[in-house]
Amino acid sequence: MSRELKQIATIYTDFPEKFGIPRQSGLVKNLRGKIIFLPAYRNPEAVRGLDGYSHLWLLWEFSKAIRKDWSATVTPPRLGGKKKMGVFATRSPFRPNPIGLSSVRLESMEMDEQDGPVIIVSGVDMLDGTPIYDIKPYLPYTDSHPEAASGFAAEVEEHRLAVNFPEELLCLIEETEQGNIIEILEQDPRTAFIHDEKRVWGVAYGIYNIRFTVRDEVLTVCEVTLKDSFFA
């Protein structure tokens, strides 16, 4: 007998939009998220022993990619958006069940008077407000496979852009966030099959919105604004 999949928690991150989120967990190691359980799951006993682990698996929902139908093939952005691959050979969000899987680092756990146990993790690749369905400990003796083959993903895993961030714009960002933003930009957040050198792209992160252009594999930041003025 099938059972309804229940949301147990919500993760809060600095990504209000899908654009710019790292394509995999751990690519930008210091990106943090706060996991707050729904009221029915705020029992401290449910996380007893969790603080003995350094990393966790999160099962979550691609809440902005839910569709009624599904396709057997998708076009991975990193392959230029023109080459089709089987959906189960990719990590595309457009799946029969929109379930994501992320390996994150457990930074800390704290007990909040109102929210119960709160979990802080790093290396996130999730939209702000993403539903969490399950949390499991990462076990290095069985979950790590250094010899594993990467399939067609190996062709593009090292792709990074050089980032030109003018000092007068970089200084507008809190020093503690500068490294995270630069790493996000290095990952090349653009739609892979659009290579218009005149196009100005925009990434929202925390309270900042960063506009940039890309030419000859060099990303140049041209504007930094606060979120409220981004669309002014």
Side-chain angles (χ1 to χ4, degrees):
M1 181 177 67
S2 62
R3 285 188 171 186
E4 177 186 359
L5 198 62
K6 296 179 180 180
Q7 177 183 352
I8 65 164
T10 302
I11 188 167
Y12 297 94
T13 74
D14 283 314
F15 291 103
E17 304 170 359
K18 292 188 295 181
F19 188 82
I21 296 178
R23 292 178 172 86
Q24 306 294 340
S25 58
L27 287 178
V28 182
K29 298 185 183 302
N30 292 323
L31 292 180
R32 295 203 171 195
K34 176 186 289 188
I35 299 172
I36 297 180
F37 288 94
L38 271 60
Y41 304 98
R42 289 178 182 172
N43 187 338
E45 292 297 299
V47 295
R48 179 188 288 187
L50 193 64
D51 56 356
Y53 297 94
S54 65
H55 291 74
L56 307 174
W57 288 111
L58 303 181
L59 278 77
W60 47 278
E61 180 183 65
F62 287 105
S63 53
K64 299 298 184 181
I66 298 175
R67 297 180 175 182
K68 292 184 178 180
D69 302 317
W70 72 284
S71 173
T73 60
V74 296
T75 52
R78 286 298 200 185
L79 295 182
K82 298 179 181 179
K83 189 174 182 180
K84 290 188 175 183
M85 291 291 177
V87 65
F88 299 126
T90 75
R91 295 194 176 186
S92 167
F94 304 110
R95 320 182 69 78
N97 293 303
I99 296 174
L101 176 68
S102 294
S103 173
V104 297
R105 183 175 182 85
L106 174 57
E107 294 290 344
S108 65
M109 292 176 55
E110 56 192 50
M111 188 60 61
D112 184 87
E113 184 175 341
Q114 178 178 339
D115 296 327
V118 175
I119 302 174
I120 307 299
V121 296
S122 61
V124 300
D125 59 341
M126 285 157 278
L127 189 71
D128 184 46
T130 290
I132 302 292
Y133 286 133
D134 204 1
I135 300 170
K136 300 178 185 290
Y138 177 97
L139 304 177
Y141 71 88
T142 185
D143 292 346
S144 177
H145 304 280
E147 77 286 359
S150 298
F152 67 85
E155 302 174 21
V156 292
E157 64 179 340
E158 295 300 327
H159 174 73
R160 284 177 177 265
L161 296 176
V163 174
N164 174 26
F165 210 132
E167 185 63 33
E168 65 271 19
L169 297 179
L170 186 61
C171 69
L172 299 176
I173 296 171
E174 289 289 337
E175 189 173 345
T176 56
E177 295 290 2
Q178 291 177 4
N180 286 340
I181 291 175
I182 290 173
E183 285 193 65
I184 291 167
L185 297 176
E186 287 177 342
Q187 299 293 327
D188 192 357
R190 297 174 300 166
T191 304
F193 51 86
I194 299 179
H195 297 284
D196 183 357
E197 294 183 348
K198 296 182 180 180
R199 178 164 179 166
V200 178
W201 302 82
V203 168
Y205 174 77
I207 64 171
Y208 306 104
N209 291 279
I210 299 95
R211 293 185 187 273
F212 63 89
T213 59
V214 179
R215 182 174 183 177
D216 297 331
E217 296 299 295
V218 177
L219 182 152
T220 299
V221 177
C222 55
E223 185 180 24
V224 174
T225 60
L226 297 181
K227 189 178 298 182
D228 289 344
S229 63
F230 185 58
F231 295 106

